[in-house]
Amino acid sequence: MQLFEIIAFDADDTLWHSERLYVAAQDKVEHLLAERYGVDGLEQALYRTEMRNLPLYGFGIKAFALSTIETAVRLTGGRIRGNDVGQIVGWVQEMLRAEVELLDGVKETVARLSRSHTLLVVTKGDLLDQERKLARSGIAHHFGAIEILSDKDEGRYRALLARHGVDARRFLMVGNSLRSDVLPVVALGGQAVYIPAEVTWAHEAVDAPGPEAGGYHQLSHMSLLPDLIAQIEKQL
Amino acid sequence: MQLFEIIAFDADDTLWHSERLYVAAQDKVEHLLAERYGVDGLEQALYRTEMRNLPLYGFGIKAFALSTIETAVRLTGGRIRGNDVGQIVGWVQEMLRAEVELLDGVKETVARLSRSHTLLVVTKGDLLDQERKLARSGIAHHFGAIEILSDKDEGRYRALLARHGVDARRFLMVGNSLRSDVLPVVALGGQAVYIPAEVTWAHEAVDAPGPEAGGYHQLSHMSLLPDLIAQIEKQL
């Protein structure tokens, strides 16, 4: 029997690489600040700025850009020159223009599951940036819809399930963030598969649910997903 | 008979003031550049930067912020100081924190129409910023949903109508932009009410549909909307 009416995938670092773009941009800014202004400590300072601005900016590359510029101004005591700010803006535009690189096993897995299930993309971040990445990914046709949320919390997952008329118990979410893809879904009575990424943003790193939490699965690789789903659905 | 299954409202400068925040911020940056760097011509240069960045950034305050910083760097030949860039970022944060001020007549009109029709908000811009403004507006409970689109073109309106299972002929869009709220809706066979705002961004200013185009109405004030709708529906 088919338990899951909808299988939803997170996008960044679940379907395609993303975090490494942020890390690379941050490294470049860090070197710029060190070489030209003798300043270090960008990583910690930027994270504090991002957390303070999160309720104002939300997620995504434009938010990262504005927080990076603000942090660079602060760390240099206002000495950073316009040219260097322009350089940072240029690196951000490169991030937005970057090729979409699917994670290993995604193409095959998504194609295979789309033959048996309705698939969604459920992500946060910049509206246009996420739409563009999906359009360029070469796998957009396998998904029934893309849902871009301002945050991935219980309330917004509940509203999403209501919009699609799906019971939480028949909803499976797949992603690389325990905080955004696993905990709120399991709390609502859905099932979630956690596939850790190589690099994960500190904000998304929380503890896994305890063994008493039902509906939580962990896989080391996307290509293992169809077998896991078959196994869950066979037990019915 | 009730013709319209859905009456949708644009948000910025239809439900609440918005463009004046952009104009005020731009004025402040213009003065800063003139006083400290002897530079003028921000308005035209910024508009060119915004148009070039539109496919990359999309709409909204964060996009405006990044394009403003880029333009200020260019106009000053890279001489703008970090302190002044920080000041620009501060003004942008004030825009995001600004109180939501409803346009005259909106509160009463929306309350009245919500008793007879399903109302939606259909807007573009930053996801989080638009959700926050609606939440703070005091009129959110009158709307069935908020739809935030990366752009308001025919394809995206068509997808929206499909999502809500509504025939274009039974859809009415109300807004202050001929380009975004009127032309694509009328082209799909829907009806649209254009209510010009005090100030409109150059990007949204296009010619009104010709008299041969059906489904196009213009009003000088939001409070005239219920009577217009009653009149259209009485003719059935």
Side-chain angles (χ1 to χ4, degrees):
Chain A
M1 186 190 140
Q2 185 172 305
L3 171 62
F4 298 116
E5 266 187 76
I6 288 182
I7 301 176
F9 292 81
D10 170 56
D12 290 348
D13 298 304
T14 297
L15 296 178
W16 47 69
H17 289 286
S18 168
E19 184 60 18
R20 64 189 192 185
L21 289 174
Y22 288 87
V23 171
Q26 196 176 303
D27 280 352
K28 287 190 273 191
V29 177
E30 198 162 320
H31 283 117
L32 185 155
L33 295 181
E35 274 186 23
R36 304 203 190 162
Y37 304 94
V39 154
D40 57 15
L42 176 69
E43 191 179 339
Q44 295 72 18
L46 174 56
Y47 187 66
R48 280 195 302 272
T49 309
E50 286 183 294
M51 289 305 101
R52 198 176 48 241
N53 289 336
L54 200 51
L56 215 51
Y57 293 158
F59 297 93
I61 292 179
K62 288 181 290 185
F64 167 80
L66 288 170
S67 287
T68 300
I69 291 169
E70 180 184 340
T71 309
V73 169
R74 188 173 309 122
L75 284 179
T76 60
R79 291 178 300 127
I80 188 170
R81 287 179 293 269
N83 273 336
D84 291 329
V85 173
Q87 177 63 263
I88 295 173
V89 172
W91 288 331
V92 166
Q93 297 190 348
E94 281 173 26
M95 292 172 74
L96 289 167
R97 285 200 192 94
E99 290 293 315
V100 176
E101 291 184 57
L102 295 181
L103 268 79
D104 192 42
V106 162
K107 199 175 165 183
E108 302 73 20
T109 302
V110 163
R112 183 169 157 191
L113 288 172
S114 74
R115 290 197 290 270
S116 53
H117 291 79
T118 296
L119 309 186
L120 289 190
V121 176
V122 178
T123 180
K124 57 193 186 196
D126 284 327
L127 209 50
L128 183 63
D129 186 41
Q130 297 293 14
E131 285 185 1
R132 178 175 37 213
K133 285 188 285 188
L134 183 61
R136 285 183 185 169
S137 68
I139 55 172
H141 57 291
H142 295 307
F143 295 93
I146 176 169
E147 292 270 359
I148 304 167
L149 310 178
S150 58
D151 201 357
K152 289 162 95 171
D153 53 18
E154 271 188 58
R156 288 184 180 82
Y157 274 110
R158 194 181 295 116
L160 180 147
L161 293 173
R163 269 201 302 284
H164 291 271
V166 173
D167 189 297
R169 287 167 298 184
R170 305 196 60 188
F171 178 75
L172 177 74
M173 180 75 206
V174 182
N176 74 306
S177 166
L178 287 167
R179 181 191 197 120
S180 301
D181 303 315
V182 172
L183 297 186
V185 172
V186 168
L188 287 170
Q191 302 214 19
V193 179
Y194 171 50
I195 308 180
E198 282 168 30
V199 217
T200 297
W201 188 32
H203 176 259
E204 303 298 322
V206 296
D207 288 339
E212 74 289 356
Y216 167 64
H217 316 272
Q218 179 169 345
L219 290 178
S220 60
H221 197 278
M222 181 60 84
S223 59
L224 302 168
L225 185 62
D227 280 353
L228 173 67
I229 291 173
Q231 204 181 320
I232 298 172
E233 295 193 326
K234 208 159 61 181
Q235 289 166 4
L236 294 178
Chain B
M1 185 190 139
Q2 185 172 306
L3 171 63
F4 298 116
E5 267 187 74
I6 288 183
I7 300 175
F9 291 82
D10 169 58
D12 290 348
D13 297 304
T14 297
L15 297 178
W16 47 69
H17 289 286
S18 168
E19 185 60 19
R20 64 187 192 187
L21 289 175
Y22 288 86
V23 172
Q26 196 175 303
D27 281 352
K28 286 190 272 193
V29 177
E30 199 163 318
H31 282 117
L32 184 154
L33 295 181
E35 274 185 22
R36 304 204 190 160
Y37 304 95
V39 154
D40 57 15
L42 176 69
E43 191 179 340
Q44 295 72 16
L46 174 57
Y47 187 66
R48 280 195 302 273
T49 309
E50 286 183 294
M51 288 306 100
R52 199 176 47 242
N53 289 336
L54 199 52
L56 215 53
Y57 293 158
F59 297 92
I61 292 179
K62 287 181 290 187
F64 166 81
L66 289 170
S67 286
T68 300
I69 292 168
E70 181 184 340
T71 309
V73 168
R74 188 172 310 122
L75 285 179
T76 60
R79 291 179 299 128
I80 189 170
R81 287 179 292 271
N83 272 338
D84 291 330
V85 173
Q87 177 62 263
I88 295 174
V89 173
W91 289 330
V92 165
Q93 296 190 350
E94 281 173 25
M95 291 172 74
L96 289 166
R97 286 200 191 93
E99 290 293 316
V100 176
E101 291 183 57
L102 294 182
L103 268 80
D104 191 42
V106 161
K107 198 174 166 185
E108 302 73 19
T109 302
V110 163
R112 184 168 155 194
L113 289 172
S114 73
R115 290 196 290 270
S116 52
H117 291 79
T118 296
L119 309 185
L120 289 189
V121 177
V122 178
T123 181
K124 57 194 186 196
D126 284 328
L127 210 51
L128 183 63
D129 186 41
Q130 296 294 14
E131 285 186 1
R132 178 176 36 214
K133 284 189 286 191
L134 183 61
R136 284 184 187 167
S137 67
I139 55 172
H141 58 290
H142 295 307
F143 295 93
I146 177 169
E147 292 271 357
I148 303 168
L149 309 179
S150 57
D151 201 357
K152 289 162 96 172
D153 53 18
E154 271 187 59
R156 289 184 179 83
Y157 274 110
R158 196 180 294 116
L160 180 147
L161 292 173
R163 269 200 303 283
H164 291 271
V166 173
D167 189 299
R169 288 167 297 186
R170 304 195 61 188
F171 178 74
L172 177 74
M173 180 75 207
V174 182
N176 73 308
S177 166
L178 287 166
R179 180 190 198 120
S180 301
D181 303 316
V182 173
L183 297 186
V185 172
V186 168
L188 287 171
Q191 302 214 21
V193 180
Y194 171 49
I195 309 180
E198 282 169 30
V199 216
T200 297
W201 188 31
H203 177 260
E204 303 299 321
V206 295
D207 289 337
E212 73 290 356
Y216 167 63
H217 316 271
Q218 179 169 343
L219 291 178
S220 60
H221 197 279
M222 180 61 85
S223 58
L224 302 169
L225 185 61
D227 281 353
L228 173 68
I229 291 173
Q231 205 183 317
I232 298 172
E233 296 193 324
K234 209 158 62 181
Q235 289 166 3
L236 294 176

